[in-house]
Amino acid sequence: MLRGIVEQEGISKEKLEARQAQIQEEASKRFFESASQKASSLETMTLKSPALKSRRRVLDDYDSIALERILGTSDLFPISYLQIGLNAGQSICRIQIRDARGRSLGYGTGFLVADNILMTNNHVLDSLETALDSIAEFNYQDDENFMPCPTHTFRLDPEQFFITDKDLDFTLVAVKDNPSSEKQPTDFGHLQLIPTAGKILEGEYVSIIQHPKGGPKSVTVRENKVSSIFDDFIHYLTDTEPGSSGSPVFNDQWVVVALHHSGVPDPNKKNAWVGNEGIRISAISTYISENYVSYSATEQRILTKVFPNLKPGPSSSSQADGYDKSFLGSNYIVELPKLSEEMENDVSRMEDNNYVLDYTHFSIVMCRSRCLAYFTAVNIDGNQAVNIKRSGDSWKFDPRIPESVQYGNDLYAKNDLDRGHLVRRLDPVWGDKAQQANDDTFVFTNSSPQHKNLNQKIWLDLENYIMQNAINHNLKVTVFTGPVFRSDDMVYRGKFRIPAEFWKVAVMVRDDGKISATAYLQTQKNMIDNLEFAYGEYKTYQVPVTSIEDITGLDFGNLYLHDPIKDRETIGHVIVAPEHIKL
């Protein structure tokens, strides 16, 4: 999936220059506004200052005079400083911005932040189309004899991975291997990004390795001080030129503290500069953290390599609308089922003590001891349904609760168990947030172990039937789903307790204006006695809503009053085809 793509009508040199001018104007405004509002500097900093305490965390214990350099009492460096900087420079490349015809429109700088993952500015690579046409050139530099080094060129692969944001002016994009090249991107190493703030202080010096004006790789070493630090940006006086956009800004430990993106023009002198501005790496990390759950499993896997110590924070999913109890209409309020006191004492809670996990158009309540959902609740809008093709089978943990209370891939390896979607993948996929809803369903909180024959046959037919009726009749449907937890559920591989039955309650408003609430029970009892050689009959029943309440301990309020089979004495009837369902 591609995130934050900026739509455009084709790239041009004029558009690139206009965007750069806009960025310079915004940087200039921040720069001069801060001039009269200076924060504390190193001149008044003591060894006990909280900011200095944070800064010391990224110092090497063997660099005995690192602190003296920060405090300005020494200019001495170990000779290894130069070698470390040389090593850091290997992962930095020139980006040639090209149009669809291969014509060069300009240059930028980028650097590898994980295997085959490049970071640069949004205004350098602002869209999938631009990235597809542009190239990354590594080792574009002169050797000790001032002769050109062999350059290694690679195409970008935004279709595999591409995340960008215009406000923070950053882009992360995958880089393709080049079969005809003697070296591949991984041969150039990468720069580790540290998510936390505190890697640079006002008054410290910074260094930048860059491709000025698209020329060979160059470096400015500790030339000027950091003048201002904001939440998202820093200002510094190091010389940079056009083409340096996307360069890494280093502290004295060659740790990346910012992504360079603009010069600050001198308002009193044409073509002169009073400073430079970079986006703090901690700000980019915070942005990724806040949106983490909304990313696909593939994106999350890559992002945890870019930011190894990333701590996912509140996300778009944790702030999603979730299940809507008034979805069927203001006159048809359908509350979430109530848990018994015993069940409520065994829920997985988030840090705010809430136990309802909201996703896009659905919500989940988890049983802590069983590591599976008590129930899921989804709103289906047949009138706004979007058919998004399944692009993979990559699942992720929900970071809002511990991984230890979610069954993961260890359960599903080398057997006939499927990661059964409790909320069917396409059910919440409607409206403007269809893609996000699709991605949200691939979370382990929404999975339950189901034998492949159960997951792919009658139960799927039932789910398809409900969804198809919603689409055909422009219906809104609310569906609750969950496993049946029994004390005699089999224990698999010594720790996984496998439910033998699953239930579903579908609620909709019929043409006559009355609510219909129907319940279903699916058993896989005969399938899981021997998971390696499973066979046997399995059945789907339509049962009274009260039967689901009896076997789960959930309370569906007055839904039983709207059950078309509530008055029948039978415990249920077998469903072998959609026409046997009684709505």
Side-chain angles (χ1 to χ4, degrees):
M1 181 182 179
L2 307 175
R3 299 283 176 174
I5 297 176
V6 178
E7 295 183 0
Q8 58 178 33
E9 299 176 354
I11 190 172
S12 67
K13 189 172 183 180
E14 291 74 18
K15 289 182 179 179
L16 288 173
E17 292 174 348
R19 173 69 175 131
Q20 184 64 62
Q22 178 189 2
I23 291 172
Q24 290 173 1
E25 182 180 349
E26 294 169 352
S28 180
K29 182 179 180 181
R30 283 186 288 265
F31 184 89
F32 289 107
E33 283 181 351
S34 69
S36 60
Q37 303 175 11
K38 300 304 297 175
S40 61
S41 68
L42 290 175
E43 296 176 1
T44 59
M45 187 167 292
T46 68
L47 290 174
K48 295 183 179 180
S49 298
L52 188 58
K53 182 179 180 181
S54 177
R55 178 69 178 87
R56 295 173 71 169
R57 293 172 184 166
V58 294
L59 301 182
D60 192 314
D61 292 338
Y62 294 102
D63 188 351
S64 58
I65 56 175
L67 191 60
E68 296 177 34
R69 289 196 298 273
I70 293 175
L71 293 173
T73 58
S74 175
D75 288 325
L76 292 175
F77 281 84
I79 193 66
S80 59
Y81 171 82
L82 300 177
Q83 184 61 55
I84 296 171
L86 190 62
N87 294 342
Q90 293 182 8
S91 63
I92 299 168
C93 67
R94 182 176 78 162
I95 296 176
Q96 187 179 150
I97 308 168
R98 306 198 303 183
D99 63 15
R101 296 184 179 181
R103 295 174 297 191
S104 180
L105 302 177
Y107 297 93
T109 302
F111 53 103
L112 291 168
V113 291
D115 288 349
N116 290 71
I117 302 297
L118 187 74
M119 175 176 278
T120 187
N121 291 134
N122 167 272
H123 77 264
V124 173
L125 299 174
D126 67 341
S127 69
L128 178 146
E129 291 80 6
T130 303
L132 280 173
D133 296 329
S134 302
I135 57 175
E137 299 168 300
F138 287 84
N139 210 41
Y140 186 74
Q141 61 192 61
D142 294 338
D143 63 16
E144 62 270 24
N145 297 313
F146 299 97
M147 295 297 293
C149 295
T151 302
H152 304 275
T153 303
F154 305 94
R155 285 197 172 276
L156 305 178
D157 193 7
E159 292 176 323
Q160 180 197 356
F161 179 79
F162 185 84
I163 292 178
T164 191
D165 182 70
K166 185 176 181 180
D167 292 337
L168 286 180
D169 197 20
F170 81 90
T171 290
L172 290 166
V173 61
V175 182
K176 285 186 176 180
D177 285 342
N178 183 353
S180 62
S181 175
E182 292 182 2
K183 290 189 175 183
Q184 300 304 328
T186 52
D187 295 322
F188 296 96
H190 66 268
L191 299 174
Q192 181 180 358
L193 302 184
I194 299 175
T196 55
K199 299 182 290 294
I200 192 71
L201 300 172
E202 283 191 19
E204 278 199 85
Y205 292 90
V206 293
S207 302
I208 300 181
I209 303 178
Q210 57 196 294
H211 284 278
K213 295 183 178 178
K217 191 183 299 176
S218 302
V219 60
T220 57
V221 181
R222 302 191 84 242
E223 187 166 332
N224 281 297
K225 292 181 180 180
V226 172
S227 60
S228 301
I229 299 178
F230 304 91
D231 288 342
D232 295 338
F233 303 94
I234 65 169
H235 289 150
Y236 41 92
L237 305 178
T238 304
D239 290 338
T240 58
E241 297 189 51
S244 299
S245 294
S247 302
V249 181
F250 297 97
N251 64 15
D252 276 346
Q253 288 68 50
W254 294 102
V255 172
V256 184
V257 299
L259 172 67
H260 174 73
H261 85 133
S262 178
V264 178
D266 187 335
N268 301 315
K269 190 175 181 181
K270 188 177 181 179
N271 296 325
W273 309 90
V274 295
N276 288 280
E277 184 177 78
I279 303 98
R280 298 177 68 181
I281 295 301
S282 57
I284 297 174
S285 169
T286 297
Y287 174 91
I288 296 296
S289 175
E290 291 176 347
N291 291 276
Y292 185 81
V293 177
S294 70
Y295 296 130
S296 69
T298 299
E299 289 169 333
Q300 289 188 347
R301 176 179 55 80
I302 293 173
L303 288 170
T304 53
K305 293 181 179 179
V306 175
F307 295 103
N309 299 315
L310 180 70
K311 293 183 178 180
S315 66
S316 58
S317 281
S318 65
Q319 298 167 1
D321 45 15
Y323 173 77
D324 181 1
K325 65 181 181 181
S326 59
F327 179 72
L328 300 182
S330 58
N331 295 326
Y332 306 101
I333 303 300
V334 182
E335 301 278 359
L336 290 175
K338 294 181 180 178
L339 305 176
S340 67
E341 183 177 352
E342 180 182 358
M343 296 167 74
E344 193 165 332
N345 289 332
D346 191 21
V347 292
S348 295
R349 297 179 183 271
M350 295 176 285
E351 290 186 358
D352 63 1
N353 206 41
N354 185 19
Y355 58 77
V356 179
L357 301 169
D358 287 333
Y359 303 90
T360 306
H361 302 151
F362 68 98
S363 299
I364 297 175
V365 173
M366 291 289 290
C367 174
R368 186 176 66 251
S369 63
R370 293 297 297 263
C371 303
L372 298 171
Y374 273 130
F375 67 85
T376 65
V378 61
N379 301 127
I380 305 172
D381 191 336
N383 190 42
Q384 299 188 67
V386 178
N387 187 14
I388 294 179
K389 293 184 178 180
R390 185 166 182 160
S391 58
D393 195 32
S394 297
W395 292 71
K396 54 186 176 289
F397 290 101
D398 189 324
R400 293 172 292 175
I401 59 175
E403 290 186 11
S404 60
V405 295
Q406 305 172 66
Y407 281 165
N409 284 321
D410 290 348
L411 168 58
Y412 302 97
K414 298 180 180 179
N415 55 39
D416 284 335
L417 289 175
D418 282 345
R419 301 169 191 84
H421 277 81
L422 291 174
V423 171
R424 182 176 179 267
R425 183 180 67 87
L426 290 178
D427 282 355
V429 178
W430 51 268
D432 296 337
K433 298 181 179 180
Q435 184 64 63
Q436 181 179 324
N438 176 86
D439 296 343
D440 279 359
T441 64
F442 285 93
V443 63
F444 282 120
T445 52
N446 187 43
S447 70
S448 192
Q450 296 178 354
H451 191 276
K452 63 180 182 180
N453 289 338
L454 168 76
N455 191 23
Q456 298 170 9
K457 293 185 178 180
I458 297 297
W459 200 242
L460 182 59
D461 289 343
L462 171 62
E463 293 174 326
N464 287 339
Y465 176 77
I466 294 172
M467 183 65 177
Q468 200 57 49
N469 272 274
I471 294 174
N472 291 343
H473 301 287
N474 293 329
L475 285 175
K476 287 185 174 182
V477 184
T478 286
V479 177
F480 303 101
T481 305
V484 178
F485 296 143
R486 298 190 185 276
S487 59
D488 61 347
D489 283 337
M490 76 167 291
V491 179
Y492 181 52
R493 292 179 174 172
K495 59 179 179 179
F496 303 111
R497 297 175 66 187
I498 310 297
E501 297 165 306
F502 295 87
W503 58 268
K504 191 179 295 290
V505 173
V507 187
M508 64 187 73
V509 180
R510 301 183 309 198
D511 292 339
D512 60 6
K514 295 182 179 180
I515 286 183
S516 169
T518 52
Y520 311 92
L521 183 66
Q522 169 76 73
T523 178
Q524 61 178 0
K525 187 74 171 179
N526 295 332
M527 296 182 192
I528 62 175
D529 290 339
N530 186 332
L531 283 173
E532 317 306 336
F533 304 94
Y535 64 92
E537 183 181 10
Y538 57 96
K539 294 181 179 181
T540 299
Y541 299 87
Q542 182 171 352
V543 300
V545 172
T546 52
S547 294
I548 302 301
E549 292 180 320
D550 291 341
I551 62 177
T552 63
L554 296 169
D555 181 355
F556 286 91
N558 65 355
L559 283 187
Y560 74 97
L561 296 175
H562 308 287
D563 186 347
I565 65 170
K566 69 177 185 301
D567 297 324
R568 302 193 181 186
E569 295 182 359
T570 177
I571 61 171
H573 64 273
V574 177
I575 297 173
V576 294
E579 56 266 25
H580 296 146
I581 296 175
K582 301 181 184 300
L583 298 178

